[in-house]
Amino acid sequence: MNTSRRILLAGLAGLAVAPTVARAAPTPVADEVTVAEERFARMIAAAHAPDVTCARQVERYADTHWPDYVVAARAVIDARV
């Protein structure tokens, strides 16, 4: 599976879970996040980046906003277990 398809699928998974989970739990501190959760949150953030025209903008958006997507990433990872 290529990278763009992975980002799209991760974004869709995060989008499906984020609205219900984001209201239920506060955003955690970055110190409490595992490596897997951070990577998945960055992937979801990259998929939700607005008005992107190049990979560098997507990367900057993901670096800035990944803590906002940690709750969705945890929900998706927990659902897979």
Side-chain angles (χ1 to χ4, degrees):
M1 185 181 308
N2 61 19
T3 303
S4 61
R5 187 173 292 163
R6 284 186 197 146
I7 291 173
L8 177 66
L9 291 174
L12 290 174
L15 185 62
V17 176
T20 57
V21 176
R23 285 181 264 145
T27 305
V29 179
D31 295 339
E32 301 172 359
V33 179
T34 65
V35 173
E37 291 168 345
E38 179 182 343
R39 287 183 182 172
F40 199 68
R42 284 179 185 269
M43 195 181 325
I44 294 171
H48 290 133
D51 294 328
V52 294
T53 56
C54 69
R56 184 170 291 171
Q57 289 177 340
V58 172
E59 187 176 339
R60 274 187 281 170
Y61 183 85
D63 287 342
T64 305
H65 296 283
W66 72 267
D68 301 336
Y69 295 94
V70 170
V71 175
R74 283 184 177 164
V76 172
I77 290 171
D78 289 343
R80 292 184 65 197
V81 174

